[in-house]
Every structure is written in structure tokens, then in C-alpha cells.
Amino acid sequence: MNGAMRALPHHTVDLGGGVFQIDTGFQRPLFDAAYLVVDDGHAQARLLQAREFHESARSLVTLAQAKSYNGAVTLMVTAAIAYSDAVTAKARGVVNQQDHQSAPRLLREVLGNRLPEGQDRFFRKLLGRKDEVNYGTRSATLEEAQRLLLALD
């Protein structure tokens, strides 16, 4: 969607805010599109959000006054998802629209071998913590949060 606006194909609807609906004609009950097509502004907006989530997590960890750091880890997960969206939006004009566990697959598809294996592993590991810190009963420790934050940096 770079540059001047082009006429949209008949099966595409501009929903505003850089979001487009594409009717592929494919129908299956309870099946959502894998990717959301976005415009150029979406990448910059998601990058700003990622940085805000990241800095908020850093503040919680730096203050080191909590009994649980689940909130900080949740913000780190959200930051990582937003960073991924920013990259895929900028590079290909799409963001992940499935469950968050699918985000690393799209990032790898977009970046190919330019995505370092260690970052891919860390992203998957961090996403794996999402349900645990949001819905589980175990609290993340300060040390865990510090390690995750260091890796996210």
C-alpha cells in the first residue's frame, strides 16, 4: 500500500484506520483469516505501542516492589507481539490475525533467514508464558522478569 492510494479490488473493503477486509470467497464455519492486510501507518503505530509496552514492563521490573511480576511479563509478551506486527506490517503489509502462537510463523515467513534463530526461539518462549502469567496461579519472580526483559531488550 506504499505511495498513493490505488483503487481497491471489488472484493476488498477499506474499514478505516489502515485495516482492510478481503473477501476471498472461502467459507468454513468458525474459520478466520490468518492475516490482516494493513496500510503503511499501521507499522509505525504498532512500533510505538511496542515501545510503550516494553518501557512499561521495564518500569515495573526496575521498581522491583511487587510480589508478582506477571504484569511485567504480560507487558513483555504484548510488546513482542506488537514488535512482530510492526515488522510484518512494514515488510509485507500484513499482521497476524490468528492466535498469538501463530505470530512467529508469519514473522519467519516474512523475514526468512533474516530472522535470527535465537530471536525466533525467544519469541516462541515468551509467547508460551502468555497463558501462564495471565491465567495461571504461579507468579513470575523478579529474577524471571529481569531475564526476560534482558532478552527482550
Side-chain angles (χ1 to χ4, degrees), residues 113-131:
N113 290 334
R114 293 178 296 164
L115 176 62
E117 198 60 44
Q119 286 184 347
D120 184 42
R121 275 192 310 275
F122 173 71
F123 189 24
R124 290 174 190 279
K125 175 185 174 181
L126 192 56
L127 287 172
R129 298 294 308 275
K130 181 179 177 287
D131 287 346

Side-chain angles (χ1 to χ4, degrees), residues 70 74 100 129-138:
N70 287 4
T74 296
H100 292 131
R129 298 294 308 275
K130 181 179 177 287
D131 287 346
E132 180 183 344
V133 297
N134 283 303
Y135 312 114
T137 58
R138 191 177 81 74

Side-chain angles (χ1 to χ4, degrees), residues 28-92:
R28 188 169 89 190
L30 303 176
F31 183 77
D32 294 325
Y35 308 138
L36 182 66
V37 177
V38 296
D39 69 6
D40 289 341
H42 195 86
Q44 192 61 35
R46 288 299 278 158
L47 180 58
L48 177 62
Q49 289 176 330
R51 288 176 175 157
E52 290 170 349
F53 292 131
H54 194 157
E55 287 307 312
S56 294
R58 182 184 324 284
S59 294
L60 288 174
V61 172
T62 301
L63 288 173
Q65 295 178 347
K67 292 180 182 176
S68 169
Y69 289 86
N70 287 4
V73 175
T74 296
L75 287 166
M76 289 180 227
V77 170
T78 307
I81 292 166
Y83 280 132
S84 176
D85 284 350
V87 169
T88 60
K90 181 70 173 171
R92 193 175 289 170

